[in-house]
Amino acid sequence: MKRTLFSLLALFSLLTAAADEGMWLPSLIASRIDDMRAKGFRLTAEDIYSINRASMKDAVVLFDGGCTGELVSPEGLLLTNHHCGYDAIQRHSTVEHDYLTHGFWARSRQEELPNKGLNVRFLVRMEEVTDRIAAGETPEEIIRRAEAEGEGYKASVEQMYYGDQQFLFLYEQFDDVRLVAAPPSSIGKFGGDTDNWIWPRHTGDFSVFRIYASKENKPAAYSPDNVPYRPKKYFTISTKGFREGDFTMIYGFPGNTQEYILSDAAEYIATQSDPAKIAIRDGRLEIIARAQESDPALRIHYAAQRATIANAWKKWQGEVLGLTRRKTVETKRQREEAFARENSRGAELLREMKAEYQRIMTPYFAREITVETLRALPAKYTDEERAEAVFPARRETERELFRWLFGEYARRCPAQYQVPVFLDGVARSGSPETFAEEVFEEVWAGAETPLSDSLRNGSKRMLDHITWLLGTDRLRNLTSRRLNDLYRGYVHELRTTWPDHPYYPDANLTLRVAYGAIAGYEYADGEYHTPLTTLDGIIAKDNPEIYDYDIPQALRDLYASKDYGRWGVEIDGRRTVPVCFLASNHTTGGNSGSPVLNARGELIGINFDRTWRSTMSDIAFDPTICRNIAVDIRYVLFVMDRIGGAGYLLREMKIK
């Protein structure tokens, strides 16, 4: 009896959305509004999401297909993270005009820089279409009809709860998005990979763009005749500050969570998948770091690539740490045992799911290793790359990357799933590294590369074969078609067996609301982390000998003079500038750039990260340690005004 009671309590604790847990669909936010208001929210569900009048959703965009941005002026001015705009900033940077290092501040609309291929999407509406699909209407038909409703409309049908519900998401896409401002990387990426996912944090992770439209305010391809977009809604900015415990809300596009997965999948992530991918990226990062240290041009060239590789690399390390310390696998296993005792249909589903996991783990692991190694290498170098002055200097770095990744593929990919062309090449040449040299020389030469083509085509065929084995091409997570069907029934049983417990669908890059509070946390026994950092912490870390900690002299001068203007505040008897803060909102990748709002729906910060152990929240949210990290809007405005000399941009905004 005691064991059953303990197991049920464990089950309830995992099923119940805790005070700050959840990624809620905006169109259904009315079901959460009482809880939000009890925690301090002062507005209504209609203020958050409405299709009849302007609401917060009209001030939030999906930025560049993987981040979030928010509108802050009636002239299309948009804020997002520096790391979300990083590719655009890098593409405009040269050794002569190094915007990554020195920052960029357009002094007029004419100086704002267009970005080919960069777009933003506003959500027009979302609606459940489960019944329409059950009645025989296909998702393609639903999408086609929706996109015909307006100019620049894009639509998708997305699954919730593994397909137990289906929703249409209709967007308006704008393709003329121009870079307006970016701080120096020593502010926007302060701390670099060392501080990534870490608290305390002192990163001014923001960049500024502007959306342009036709004179009719409609989506349009880039043209000098386009004008700034006039949004239905933009956020008021609050500089009044906050206290620990104050309500916060995040509105954005979280990318991928797996809150309902079984212990089998959590164990695979913590003990097999993440450790292997971390080790592979260890080597890539070491090779790239040496190249960057050897040549300023290589530093710029590899900047975005290194940041992309390092971001997931460090995230996976925190995920393993969090899952291990919080004993997530064990807790999930207890939940499964309790559920099986309570629900006979659930017990049968669990048996089938665990059997399916055993079937798919090895081929899925092979897929992950192939993607991390062979598929991470260039198939060829373009004419544009050949024209770059840095091209000859890259040769030895690229050769070393080929050698490392071929070796890792040979060592880690299960033998039965290795590409036949690869196996033949290694057997003929004597080692993976020697074969890598042979393939690299063909690719580098830029001529026809039959060996490289054969290898790439072979790896694609193997990935296609694994996809066939798994029965689905939705392979962001360890899954299969059969497993997805079983999860649909499993989650349905959970929701019907305990209907009074709140459930939310896993993140899938659709617009969501998360809410919580400004909150510190106990990192370790006797070590409490307060939820705010300041300019004093930046100065303490400042080191001119380390690129990621070498702040602009202007920032040192402002600190010395304390000439902070309206952005200075008194904290514990000293005058300083707030920089970053912690909150307990449930976030993940894709929430980068999301607006952090106070109880009145005013912008107080820009979300950009989580604490290291919080990365486990993709699998299991723990309200005691899971925290999101945001840059304080007062620091954003301070940098724009006092470092960038871009006070003219502030005049567009509504600042309180």
Side-chain angles (χ1 to χ4, degrees):
M1 176 67 73
K2 288 182 179 179
R3 182 179 176 187
T4 300
L5 178 60
F6 172 79
S7 298
L8 285 172
L9 289 173
L11 171 63
F12 289 156
S13 70
L14 280 165
L15 289 179
T16 302
D20 304 319
E21 181 178 358
M23 298 176 173
W24 308 100
L25 293 169
S27 65
L28 304 179
I29 199 62
S31 67
R32 305 300 306 168
I33 205 68
D34 288 345
D35 188 57
M36 294 176 70
R37 292 181 67 83
K39 292 177 171 62
F41 188 57
R42 298 184 183 180
L43 302 177
T44 68
E46 276 278 301
D47 292 318
I48 296 173
Y49 176 91
S50 176
I51 59 174
N52 299 314
R53 63 178 176 86
S55 60
M56 290 183 194
K57 78 169 176 62
D58 301 309
V60 181
V61 298
L62 177 62
F63 181 88
D64 201 22
C67 282
T68 303
E70 55 272 3
L71 276 294
V72 291
S73 94
E75 298 179 79
L77 204 63
L78 179 152
L79 298 179
T80 188
N81 287 152
H82 183 268
H83 75 260
C84 292
Y86 204 76
D87 284 347
I89 301 164
Q90 181 195 31
R91 283 193 294 269
H92 291 297
S93 295
T94 63
V95 174
E96 294 76 21
H97 300 285
D98 187 354
Y99 299 139
L100 284 177
T101 299
H102 304 299
F104 171 78
W105 308 93
R107 301 301 174 184
S108 68
R109 300 282 167 84
Q110 288 70 37
E111 291 185 4
E112 295 175 357
L113 301 176
N115 300 279
K116 184 178 180 181
L118 176 60
N119 64 63
V120 299
R121 289 184 173 188
F122 292 89
L123 179 65
V124 177
R125 73 172 188 278
M126 58 174 291
E127 62 180 274
E128 187 171 359
V129 293
T130 310
D131 291 343
R132 289 170 63 181
I133 292 174
E137 194 172 1
T138 67
E140 292 75 19
E141 290 170 335
I142 293 171
I143 289 169
R144 186 170 61 252
R145 290 192 181 101
E147 290 184 343
E149 293 177 18
E151 187 177 349
Y153 278 11
K154 306 290 182 181
S156 65
V157 172
E158 303 293 344
Q159 295 184 352
M160 305 294 162
Y161 305 112
Y162 296 90
D164 200 31
Q165 291 177 276
Q166 309 262 359
F167 281 80
L168 166 71
F169 289 83
L170 180 62
Y171 302 94
E172 186 176 29
Q173 178 172 307
F174 288 81
D175 297 310
D176 188 353
V177 183
R178 305 182 195 180
L179 177 64
V180 175
S185 286
S186 53
I187 289 177
K189 204 173 180 294
F190 181 80
D193 296 334
T194 304
D195 281 6
N196 192 20
W197 305 104
I198 297 298
W199 185 262
R201 197 68 173 276
H202 301 86
T203 309
D205 197 345
F206 77 93
S207 55
V208 188
F209 291 79
R210 192 185 304 279
I211 304 169
Y212 279 77
S214 69
K215 292 178 181 178
E216 293 74 32
N217 209 38
K218 297 295 184 182
Y222 169 79
S223 169
D225 296 329
N226 287 347
V227 297
Y229 171 66
R230 303 183 299 280
K232 298 175 185 176
K233 172 80 175 177
Y234 62 93
F235 288 114
T236 296
I237 293 172
S238 172
T239 60
K240 295 180 180 179
F242 42 75
R243 296 177 296 179
E244 188 162 7
D246 282 356
F247 177 91
T248 58
M249 168 183 153
I250 279 186
Y251 212 163
F253 290 85
N256 185 42
T257 57
Q258 307 176 69
E259 296 289 335
Y260 300 100
I261 59 171
L262 301 190
S263 57
D264 307 64
E267 186 172 31
Y268 168 83
I269 291 167
T271 64
Q272 187 174 355
S273 173
D274 280 2
K277 292 183 294 188
I278 290 165
I280 291 168
R281 293 197 179 197
D282 279 342
R284 293 177 71 189
L285 289 167
E286 289 175 9
I287 293 165
I288 289 172
R290 287 196 297 270
Q292 288 185 297
E293 291 167 4
S294 70
D295 189 319
L298 290 178
R299 176 180 55 77
I300 293 172
H301 175 82
Y302 282 113
Q305 183 179 344
R306 179 179 176 179
T308 299
I309 296 168
N311 190 52
W313 165 79
K314 195 165 186 179
K315 183 256 189 186
W316 292 327
Q317 294 176 61
E319 188 169 70
V320 171
L321 180 64
L323 292 172
T324 302
R325 287 189 178 180
R326 307 307 294 184
K327 299 181 178 179
T328 302
V329 174
E330 179 183 341
T331 304
K332 280 182 172 288
R333 194 168 287 137
Q334 291 172 354
R335 178 185 72 176
E336 292 152 19
E337 292 170 356
F339 183 62
R341 287 192 293 270
E342 292 295 310
N343 186 309
S344 59
R345 171 59 180 153
E348 178 60 29
L349 286 167
L350 283 167
R351 281 192 292 272
E352 293 185 53
M353 293 163 77
K354 288 176 180 293
E356 180 67 358
Y357 271 126
Q358 290 304 308
R359 184 183 78 87
I360 69 172
M361 275 187 184
T362 298
Y364 187 83
F365 182 69
R367 180 186 183 276
E368 290 201 286
I369 297 302
T370 303
V371 169
E372 282 290 322
T373 55
L374 298 187
R375 303 297 289 184
L377 290 165
K380 62 180 179 179
Y381 296 94
T382 66
D383 292 340
E384 289 79 6
E385 287 179 300
R386 293 179 184 288
E388 293 177 6
V390 71
F391 194 77
R394 290 173 55 195
R395 179 169 187 152
E396 291 311 309
T397 301
E398 297 293 310
R399 181 197 303 275
E400 197 172 354
L401 287 169
F402 267 75
R403 288 175 57 86
W404 170 255
L405 291 176
F406 272 49
E408 287 295 282
Y409 178 75
R411 285 186 285 274
R412 296 182 183 276
C413 186
Q416 66 269 39
Y417 294 108
Q418 288 192 18
V419 178
V421 173
F422 180 86
L423 293 171
D424 292 343
V426 171
R428 174 173 44 77
S429 62
S431 73
E433 290 76 15
T434 305
F435 183 48
E437 297 253 1
E438 187 178 344
V439 175
F440 169 74
E441 289 300 336
E442 278 196 2
V443 177
W444 186 261
E448 293 297 323
T449 55
L451 191 57
S452 173
D453 289 346
S454 296
L455 185 60
R456 195 160 186 85
N457 291 336
S459 65
K460 183 181 183 303
R461 284 194 296 272
M462 183 58 74
L463 291 179
D464 288 344
H465 173 65
I466 293 170
T467 299
W468 174 80
L469 283 174
L470 302 179
T472 179
D473 56 4
R474 293 188 175 222
L475 289 171
R476 296 182 66 190
N477 305 316
L478 174 63
T479 191
S480 68
R481 176 180 294 174
R482 173 65 175 151
L483 196 56
N484 191 78
D485 291 342
L486 292 167
Y487 265 114
R488 185 181 306 126
Y490 173 66
V491 176
H492 181 82
E493 289 297 320
L494 289 177
R495 296 173 70 195
T496 54
T497 304
W498 287 283
D500 294 334
H501 294 279
Y503 300 87
Y504 54 92
D506 278 329
N508 56 2
L509 208 63
T510 57
L511 191 59
R512 304 294 181 90
V513 173
Y515 60 94
I518 302 293
Y521 70 110
E522 188 174 23
Y523 178 76
D525 183 37
E527 184 179 341
Y528 185 79
H529 284 191
T530 57
L532 184 69
T533 61
T534 68
L535 183 57
D536 301 71
I538 293 177
I539 299 301
K541 291 180 177 179
D542 178 29
N543 186 340
E545 296 182 3
I546 302 175
Y547 178 79
D548 288 331
Y549 293 97
D550 182 13
I551 65 174
Q553 184 60 41
L555 196 54
R556 299 186 185 105
D557 295 342
L558 285 167
Y559 181 78
S561 68
K562 301 295 187 289
D563 185 17
Y564 304 143
R566 64 183 290 191
W567 316 115
V569 299
E570 294 291 327
I571 297 179
D572 297 331
R574 71 185 192 281
R575 188 162 176 78
T576 188
V577 179
V579 175
C580 293
F581 64 86
L582 287 177
S584 58
N585 303 288
H586 194 173
T587 63
T588 187
N591 276 125
S592 291
S594 295
V596 185
L597 309 168
N598 64 16
R600 296 174 295 278
E602 298 163 341
L603 185 67
I604 60 171
I606 308 172
N607 183 73
F608 71 92
D609 208 352
R610 288 172 283 173
T611 54
W612 204 24
R613 284 193 288 166
S614 296
T615 58
M616 66 174 284
S617 67
D618 288 352
I619 298 160
F621 187 90
D622 184 337
T624 65
I625 64 167
C626 290
R627 297 290 181 269
N628 65 293
I629 306 175
V631 56
D632 195 302
I633 199 64
R634 291 170 289 183
Y635 186 57
V636 173
L637 300 177
F638 166 76
V639 171
M640 291 173 66
D641 184 21
R642 310 295 284 176
I643 302 296
Y648 61 94
L649 292 175
L650 277 57
R651 290 192 288 272
E652 289 187 37
M653 307 175 195
K654 185 178 180 181
I655 301 173
K656 295 173 64 175

